[in-house]
Amino acid sequence: MTALTISTSSAATLRADAVVIGVAKGDKGPVVTPGAEAVDKAFDGKLAAVLETLGASGGEGEVTKLHAPSGLKAPVVLAVGLGEAPAKGDGFGAETLRRAAGSAARALAGSKKGAFALPVGSAEDAAAVAEGALLGAYAFNAYRTSGGANSKAGGKKKDDKKAPLAEVTLLGGKPRDKAFKAAVERATALAAEVHRARDLINTPSNDLTPKSFAAATQAAAKEFGLKAEVMDEKALTKGGYGGLMGVGQGSANPPRLVRLAWTHPKAKKTVALVGKGITYDSGGISLKPAGHNETMKCDMSGAAAVFATVVAAARLGLQVNVTGWLALAENMPSGTATRPGDVLSMYGGKTVEVLNTDAEGRLVLADAITRACEEKPDTIVDVATLTGAMVLALGNRTFGIMANDEAYRTAIHEIADEVGEQSWPMPMPAELRKGMDSPVADIANMGERMGGGLVAGLFLKEFVADGITWAHLDIAGPAFHEGAPYGYTPKGGTGSSVRTLVRLIERTAAGDLA
């Protein structure tokens, strides 16, 4: 991953491939932001005028490169837009700084070192810039080899996909200040775990199977002092995990249930996280139509987020117990696959009539939620790319939040906003439950078509034990980004919800949440 350092050097004297400065929209044109004073001086105080001549306006995410004058050690100045200039005395918001730093880091792909001279007036500002830069400096090049479409025929030149910016140097920080140091260390750990989730999501399904996913958790457990337990298909069958086995029985790659735990000797609370881990979703017998299969390697994004969050808790030494449950399966059509109309006996004994095999995520989650409840955690949060209906409701950048406790749902929504992840609280209308009544089983896995995302949440609620606070995050929209990169968000797997979950656990450890 990209290296991160803090320096007290001047932006004019530090040697780097480029120095990054901020520019905002002012009443009379672009305005150079704090942190860039030394760079502006090298331009004889006319940097804003030069940028305006080049067409820069200071709009959010706008990137302008220009040759540096002789007064700077760096050969390039990269000006990144921060949007509207704040009122006098106010600073820029954390998300504005994160996105600007991410845009700059992406623009510097292929470079060795970037000096970031963005506005840093506090440790929180430093954390935002550091986090944004590290998240923006990401690329998934694991499968790119020589002789690719962009290389010379027959040559050994590597594909010209640029490597991420190698080093970020944060200027304006205070390396010896405990708050600044802690903020930057947290940003580094957090970005590394978001990258872990992104890498898993981007890995094709022929390499990421339930078995190999489980093996990755075991390797991480050894590295970070976690406890990992893996149940294979024999243990799942013996234990009565009908949801996981029912979904996975059509595939040559059998399912797994992983329990990954971080424990702290002084912890007073336990949070259980449950992640949907469908390593490939064809829809099963209810096969997805053409055009809907190509990105279905991302259907394990919830499990990736849970995995990354538990590791982050360990890396940060959070004073809370965190248990991650990864429900891993591959949903494929075959002669052994579950059929529409089949009845599954779930873990815990409840029976489910499967009306649509493409509503498989709720089946594997139900088993894992029931099992997680047996340990009596204080709270359970499940994370899943669960329904296309949620994407229709909230779009591609916002995840939905449902819960059996309104205050907890509100807290998660506020936390997501704090860390820069878009979310929206969703209702759980009781009248929609009746649509899942089955004439042959306790419940069906489908209900009314309208409000399908809410129906899925109501289904999961049926498997939450009484007295346990529970929330459900449907990240189907933001988990996988198919458009052009923006800010610190890459094309492909995004690592959606990791930052929200980590902050939720930090707040729980601090005693801010019930």
Side-chain angles (χ1 to χ4, degrees):
M1 193 178 82
T2 300
L4 175 65
T5 57
I6 308 177
S7 175
T8 57
S9 298
S10 165
T13 59
L14 186 71
R15 293 187 181 277
D17 294 290
V19 58
V20 177
I21 60 102
V23 58
K25 282 186 173 182
D27 294 334
K28 299 180 180 179
V31 178
V32 176
T33 63
E37 291 84 359
V39 178
D40 190 29
K41 184 178 180 180
F43 280 89
D44 295 325
K46 298 177 180 179
L47 178 54
V50 172
L51 288 169
E52 186 172 23
T53 300
L54 294 174
S57 67
E60 186 175 329
E62 178 185 79
V63 172
T64 306
K65 288 184 179 180
L66 59 160
H67 290 291
S70 58
L72 301 180
K73 294 292 185 183
V76 173
V77 173
L78 188 151
V80 61
L82 294 164
E84 297 292 337
K88 189 175 182 180
D90 293 338
F92 290 94
E95 181 62 5
T96 297
L97 293 173
R98 269 191 293 264
R99 291 187 181 186
S103 294
R106 286 193 299 103
L108 291 176
S111 301
K112 292 182 179 180
K113 183 175 182 178
F116 284 65
L118 293 172
V120 177
S122 65
E124 291 74 20
D125 292 344
V129 172
E131 186 179 317
L134 292 176
L135 291 176
Y138 173 81
F140 185 71
N141 293 331
Y143 291 83
R144 293 183 177 273
T145 64
S146 61
N150 296 321
S151 62
K152 296 179 179 179
K156 296 182 179 181
K157 181 181 177 183
K158 192 161 178 125
D159 191 304
D160 67 357
K161 178 75 172 180
K162 293 179 180 178
L165 173 64
E167 181 182 348
V168 169
T169 298
L170 184 64
L171 303 179
K174 303 173 183 178
R176 297 181 182 178
D177 185 286
K178 290 184 178 180
F180 273 82
K181 185 178 180 181
V184 170
E185 288 177 350
R186 179 187 182 277
T188 301
L190 187 60
E193 292 314 311
V194 172
H195 287 187
R196 182 192 299 276
R198 289 173 173 178
D199 285 348
L200 285 165
I201 297 164
N202 289 326
T203 299
S205 302
N206 58 321
D207 281 345
L208 189 71
T209 64
K211 182 179 180 179
S212 63
F213 198 147
T217 68
Q218 292 173 311
K222 290 181 180 179
E223 182 178 358
F224 296 103
L226 305 171
K227 184 176 182 181
E229 302 171 37
V230 178
M231 296 183 70
D232 64 12
E233 68 273 27
K234 293 180 181 179
L236 292 172
T237 300
K238 184 177 180 180
Y241 291 84
L244 272 158
M245 288 306 301
V247 172
Q249 70 188 36
S251 173
N253 297 303
R256 296 287 187 271
L257 178 62
V258 176
R259 180 186 184 274
L260 187 68
W262 156 252
T263 57
H264 193 286
K266 295 183 179 180
K268 296 180 180 180
K269 296 284 185 179
T270 297
V271 178
L273 304 175
V274 180
K276 173 186 173 184
I278 304 299
T279 56
Y280 183 76
D281 182 19
S282 69
I285 296 296
S286 305
L287 194 67
K288 292 180 183 293
H292 289 73
N293 286 287
E294 290 77 6
T295 61
M296 281 300 102
K297 65 180 182 179
C298 79
D299 212 18
M300 36 56 68
S301 296
V306 167
F307 177 18
T309 300
V310 178
V311 177
R315 293 178 70 141
L316 297 171
L318 300 183
Q319 195 169 308
V320 62
N321 294 330
V322 186
T323 305
W325 298 88
L326 281 61
L328 309 176
E330 189 175 71
N331 188 24
M332 298 291 283
S334 75
T336 60
T338 293
R339 296 151 293 223
D342 284 358
V343 174
L344 303 178
S345 181
M346 312 294 283
Y347 182 76
K350 189 169 291 189
T351 57
V352 177
E353 181 184 14
V354 179
L355 298 181
N356 185 340
T357 64
D358 196 23
E360 84 299 328
R362 65 198 71 181
L363 298 175
V364 301
L365 287 173
D367 272 357
I369 288 171
T370 303
R371 176 64 184 87
C373 286
E374 290 182 341
E375 298 188 355
K376 294 180 169 50
D378 295 286
T379 56
I380 290 179
V381 180
D382 77 74
V383 192
T385 48
L386 203 60
T387 64
M390 196 63 71
V391 184
L392 291 174
L394 300 178
N396 291 317
R397 297 190 183 185
T398 304
F399 62 77
I401 309 171
M402 302 171 70
N404 62 2
D405 183 283
E406 187 174 341
Y408 197 58
R409 182 188 67 180
T410 300
I412 294 175
H413 174 51
E414 291 174 348
I415 287 169
D417 183 63
E418 175 189 340
V419 303
E421 295 195 301
Q422 295 175 210
S423 71
W424 197 252
M426 302 295 285
M428 301 189 73
E431 67 272 13
L432 291 179
R433 169 61 182 84
K434 184 173 178 59
M436 291 184 284
D437 286 347
S438 166
V440 296
D442 296 327
I443 190 172
N445 77 329
M446 292 293 289
E448 295 183 28
R449 180 170 177 268
M450 299 302 175
L454 310 183
V455 170
L458 286 165
F459 179 90
L460 295 177
K461 183 174 179 286
E462 293 283 318
F463 297 86
V464 180
D466 292 339
I468 294 180
T469 300
W470 158 80
H472 160 59
L473 310 186
D474 190 335
I475 62 171
F480 196 84
H481 179 57
E482 295 187 67
Y486 64 93
Y488 51 78
T489 302
K491 186 180 180 68
T494 64
S496 174
S497 79
V498 172
R499 292 182 294 138
T500 295
L501 293 174
V502 171
R503 189 71 187 111
L504 176 69
I505 292 168
E506 288 175 328
R507 290 273 301 274
T508 302
D512 295 341
L513 297 174

